[in-house]
Amino acid sequence: MLLSIYGIELDVPKEYFISITKGSLYFKGDLEVSDHFKHVVRVFWDDLDEFKKVYSTPQDFFEEKVSAIQNDRDLVGMKSEVFSWGGADANHPAHFHKISYSTKKRFTKELHHCIIGLVVFCEVCSRRYLLFNEYYENKNEFEETALKILGSFRCRCDMDEV
């Protein structure tokens, strides 16, 4: 099923729930896509110019998150993967990634974390998009679906009257 709102498009399984945060507008807002098992893909969008004051590229955002994880003194191990996103072009620089890491505090078991994320800048309508799924176990049966949902994201700025 195609979800299309505020110039954002996602291909979402038809049995999934879609929650749009009250007060969401074209230039700033968020929504969640979830299944019956509480697996969630979150989508945030806001002003690109404000975001660029801190992160000049989607890659910069990713690198800061990786750096913060690497500086965690409880970190046991980490790996990251980069995926290609079909909507990337000169007007839509993007970074599609997965970060998996484990932490262990003294006298506790090892905790596994995974974040699948897509950061997209739209230079046409001056919006920044952040889409992600986060889970806390080694393997998640939702991961493949999350990758498909995030990978299906499209900015429809060509359809907007900006």
Side-chain angles (χ1 to χ4, degrees):
M1 169 182 81
L2 185 64
L3 166 65
S4 182
I5 184 169
Y6 297 130
I8 298 168
E9 284 187 357
L10 289 172
D11 191 13
V12 178
K14 63 184 173 193
E15 64 276 4
Y16 279 35
F17 301 104
I18 299 165
S19 303
I20 302 166
T21 302
K22 185 177 180 179
S24 290
L25 302 168
Y26 178 86
F27 284 105
K28 182 177 178 135
D30 60 274
L31 63 85
E32 292 184 350
V33 176
S34 60
D35 66 6
H36 297 285
F37 303 105
K38 307 290 187 209
H39 298 117
V40 178
V41 169
R42 290 179 175 82
V43 181
F44 295 91
W45 63 94
D46 59 14
D47 183 62
L48 178 59
D49 294 331
E50 285 297 312
F51 196 74
K52 276 187 163 182
K53 289 178 182 176
V54 180
Y55 308 104
S56 57
T57 68
Q59 177 78 21
D60 292 343
F61 177 79
F62 169 75
E63 287 172 359
E64 182 182 286
K65 299 306 169 204
V66 168
S67 179
I69 293 167
Q70 288 172 332
N71 290 330
D72 183 343
R73 56 186 210 181
D74 297 325
L75 182 68
V76 175
M78 184 181 115
K79 91 175 180 182
S80 64
E81 296 176 60
V82 176
F83 306 104
S84 63
W85 177 64
D89 60 30
N91 289 323
H92 297 91
H95 195 273
F96 192 9
H97 57 270
K98 175 181 170 185
I99 305 168
S100 304
Y101 63 101
S102 301
T103 57
K104 182 175 181 173
K105 294 190 186 279
R106 197 169 155 195
F107 304 119
T108 63
K109 68 178 190 168
E110 210 169 278
L111 301 172
H112 303 281
H113 311 271
C114 185
I115 302 168
I116 301 168
L118 173 63
V119 180
V120 179
F121 288 3
C122 177
E123 302 288 352
V124 176
C125 62
S126 191
R127 291 194 291 179
R128 174 277 306 204
Y129 305 100
L130 171 62
L131 299 83
F132 71 94
N133 169 252
E134 184 172 13
Y135 60 91
Y136 300 96
E137 56 219 46
N138 269 335
K139 181 66 180 146
N140 184 334
E141 65 280 353
F142 185 69
E143 183 176 316
E144 186 176 321
T145 303
L147 285 167
K148 285 180 185 175
I149 292 171
L150 271 65
S152 75
F153 171 79
R154 293 291 177 265
C155 173
R156 297 307 310 243
C157 57
D158 58 332
M159 304 288 286
D160 296 335
E161 296 178 18
V162 179

